[in-house]
């Protein structure tokens, strides 16, 4: 592709969310983008097969966004062509009582993909520094702290540090991490929420709880900016992708994922001379049946 979306949307340092547009600013048309996406999906399918055959590494794709930003449809449209045996999607909801009885990273570690696999986190450990920062009282469910007064700047710095260390540990042990923030505008979110109400087959997607959270849109953006600044590291980078145009968000995301897989230097297993001889013998047996 002529555009290098991986480089364009990679967060390096001094990230300011208001400097990143929610709309695609390039020259590609939607029709062109959809045609390219078809080609890229085939490339992704081939790379996933190679990842599975290589068996020495795994890929973890973390997707974060506000409600109605297009997380679910992006996963469907980007990964719809890969072998489901080599790809696992985990959607993290409100923690269960069992999950609250462990540290906040425990349930995420359990979902990390094994070598040879692609794992997709639809929401992730970052909810602990996003929704739980906007609503600090949620942290009291962990039963470690007694008051919301405990959730000071030092508490959040420790949370960021725990996440960074968690991701570094995974990276050092064969898991490549890609983190994508789908950057949708408040106006576009409003439009999509209205669509969910207007279109009967989308009614199930709408929750009355979406509106109180929408009222906190600015607070969430501040939390995203802080979290991305604190945790975008070489071994686990963040990519902030404009998401007002769903077709473009999918295209940019798949390029980021493909570029990451290509840099993993994956190889198909090489057979020994003995195994090659055995293969030739099996071929002759089959041909002579």
């Amino acid at each position: 592709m002529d555009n290098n979306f991986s480089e364009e949307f990679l967060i390096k340092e001094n990230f300011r969310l208001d400097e990143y547009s929610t709309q695609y600013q390039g020259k590609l048309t939607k029709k062109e983008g959809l045609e390219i996406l078809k080609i890229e999906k085939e490339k992704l399918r081939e790379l996933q097969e190679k990842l599975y055959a290589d068996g020495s590494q795994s890929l973890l794709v973390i997707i974060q966004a506000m409600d109605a930003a297009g997380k679910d449809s992006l996963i469907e449209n980007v990964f719809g062509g890969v072998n489901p045996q080599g790809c696992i999607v985990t959607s993290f909801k409100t923690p269960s009582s069992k999950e609250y009885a462990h540290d906040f990273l425990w349930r995420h570690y359990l979902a990390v993909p094994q070598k040879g696999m692609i794992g997709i986190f639809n929401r992730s450990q970052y909810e602990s520094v996003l929704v739980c920062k906007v609503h600090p009282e949620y942290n009291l469910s962990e039963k470690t702290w007694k008051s919301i007064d405990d959730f000071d700047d030092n508490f959040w710095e420790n949370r960021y540090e725990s996440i960074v260390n968690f991701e570094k540990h995974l990276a050092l042990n064969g898991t490549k991490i890609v983190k994508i923030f789908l950057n949708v505008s408040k106006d576009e979110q409003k439009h999509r929420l209205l669509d969910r109400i207007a279109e009967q087959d989308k009614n199930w997607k709408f929750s009355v709880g979406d509106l109180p959270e929408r009222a906190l849109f600015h607070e969430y953006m501040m939390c995203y900016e802080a979290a991305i600044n604190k945790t975008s590291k070489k071994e686990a980078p963040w990519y902030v992708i404009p998401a007002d145009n769903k077709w473009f968000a999918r295209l940019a995301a798949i390029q980021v994922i493909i570029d990451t897989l290509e840099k993993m230097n994956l190889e198909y297993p090489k057979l020994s001379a003995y195994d090659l001889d055995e293969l030739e013998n099996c071929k002759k047996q089959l041909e002579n049946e």
Side-chain angles (χ1 to χ4, degrees):
M1 291 177 61
D2 294 333
N3 301 86
N4 188 341
F5 299 130
S6 295
E7 183 64 26
E8 184 176 352
F9 301 124
L10 172 65
I11 303 303
K12 296 176 181 177
E13 58 184 15
N14 301 321
F15 168 64
R16 285 179 54 89
L17 188 54
D18 60 9
E19 294 177 353
Y20 282 72
S21 176
T22 61
Q23 296 186 351
Y24 170 54
Q25 304 292 326
K27 297 180 180 179
L28 275 178
T29 65
K30 181 177 180 179
K31 182 179 180 180
E32 292 170 336
L34 292 175
E35 288 300 316
I36 296 172
L37 182 62
K38 290 180 183 178
I39 298 170
E40 297 294 276
K41 286 177 71 172
E42 178 59 25
K43 191 183 299 183
L44 178 59
R45 187 196 65 78
E46 294 170 357
L47 283 166
Q48 183 239 342
E49 182 178 298
K50 199 171 186 180
L51 173 73
Y52 188 86
D54 181 281
S56 67
Q57 301 173 75
S58 60
L59 175 66
L60 174 59
V61 180
I62 293 172
I63 301 176
Q64 288 286 158
M66 294 293 288
D67 290 330
K71 297 185 300 299
D72 293 345
S73 62
L74 182 141
I75 292 170
E76 178 183 357
N77 282 273
V78 167
F79 293 97
V82 303
N83 187 332
Q85 292 182 315
C87 184
I88 299 176
V89 180
T90 306
S91 296
F92 291 99
K93 307 296 184 181
T94 302
S96 66
S97 58
K98 181 179 181 179
E99 290 166 341
Y100 271 132
H102 293 79
D103 68 271
F104 80 99
L105 289 171
W106 178 75
R107 64 175 182 158
H108 305 290
Y109 194 86
L110 294 179
V112 170
Q114 67 187 56
K115 290 180 174 64
M117 302 284 286
I118 294 176
I120 304 160
F121 283 5
N122 184 345
R123 302 191 187 275
S124 66
Q125 61 270 17
Y126 284 94
E127 293 298 290
S128 293
V129 290
L130 295 169
V131 66
C132 290
K133 195 172 183 182
V134 174
H135 300 282
E137 66 276 11
Y138 291 176
N139 295 298
L140 296 175
S141 296
E142 295 180 24
K143 299 181 180 180
T144 305
W145 298 273
K146 304 302 181 185
S147 167
I148 60 172
D149 293 334
D150 294 330
F151 309 129
D152 55 11
D153 290 345
N154 187 57
F155 173 86
W156 298 114
E157 288 299 323
N158 287 334
R159 288 262 146 145
Y160 297 135
E161 184 178 2
S162 293
I163 291 172
V164 168
N165 289 338
F166 167 64
E167 293 173 352
K168 184 176 182 180
H169 171 74
L170 294 180
L172 289 173
N173 287 275
T175 299
K176 190 69 176 176
I177 302 170
V178 168
K179 300 179 294 193
I180 294 173
F181 171 52
L182 297 178
N183 187 21
V184 71
S185 67
K186 192 174 182 181
D187 285 345
E188 179 61 22
Q189 185 196 51
K190 175 183 176 180
H191 173 72
R192 294 180 187 178
L193 290 175
L194 286 171
D195 278 350
R196 291 181 177 183
I197 296 172
E199 299 180 33
Q200 190 172 3
D201 60 348
K202 292 183 179 181
N203 287 170
W204 65 274
K205 292 185 177 182
F206 186 83
S207 168
V208 292
D210 293 341
L211 295 188
E213 292 302 284
R214 173 175 163 76
L216 298 169
F217 195 95
H218 178 67
E219 287 81 352
Y220 274 103
M221 293 302 101
M222 292 176 63
C223 290
Y224 270 109
E225 182 173 285
I228 292 170
N229 262 316
K230 295 287 186 179
T231 64
S232 191
K233 306 296 181 181
K234 182 179 180 181
E235 61 271 12
W238 273 104
Y239 296 85
V240 174
I241 294 177
D244 281 1
N245 307 100
K246 285 188 177 182
W247 67 268
F248 177 74
R250 296 162 186 169
L251 181 60
I254 199 170
Q255 190 192 70
V256 167
I257 293 162
I258 286 172
D259 287 351
T260 302
L261 284 165
E262 288 179 336
K263 291 175 183 176
M264 291 167 71
N265 298 316
L266 303 168
E267 295 182 352
Y268 287 107
K270 294 181 180 179
L271 299 181
S272 66
Y274 173 81
D275 288 334
L276 288 171
D277 286 342
E278 286 295 295
L279 200 64
E280 186 63 28
N281 289 334
C282 290
K283 177 185 176 183
K284 290 177 181 178
Q285 288 181 45
L286 288 168
E287 289 175 342
N288 292 328
E289 282 186 356

